[in-house]
Amino acid sequence: MIAEDKTWLNKESGEPVLILRVDKMYVTYQNAQGDVGSKHPMIFLQDFEEQSE
């Protein structure tokens, strides 16, 4: 489940991103450098994995 204020990891780079906002069409996230991006949730799930606690 994609939830706001959770940290996810880029599957390729291992870079953490913080989830800022979640809705039906977009997941908005911010990386450590402060860059903000958004992707469709299905694409987001292909590119990122939830960080294990």
Side-chain angles (χ1 to χ4, degrees):
M1 175 86 184
I2 305 170
E4 293 175 12
D5 297 325
K6 290 281 186 191
T7 300
W8 284 57
L9 301 175
N10 184 304
K11 288 180 182 176
E12 276 188 20
S13 68
E15 178 184 38
V17 297
L18 178 66
I19 308 297
L20 300 177
R21 189 159 171 260
V22 181
D23 61 36
K24 270 192 272 203
M25 294 306 294
Y26 292 103
V27 175
T28 306
Y29 56 90
Q30 184 174 26
N31 69 13
Q33 289 76 42
D35 300 323
V36 173
S38 62
K39 295 185 182 214
H40 188 277
M42 293 304 291
I43 305 296
F44 183 84
L45 288 172
Q46 290 173 6
D47 294 346
F48 293 90
E49 61 190 0
E50 195 164 7
Q51 186 177 33
S52 45
E53 299 295 325

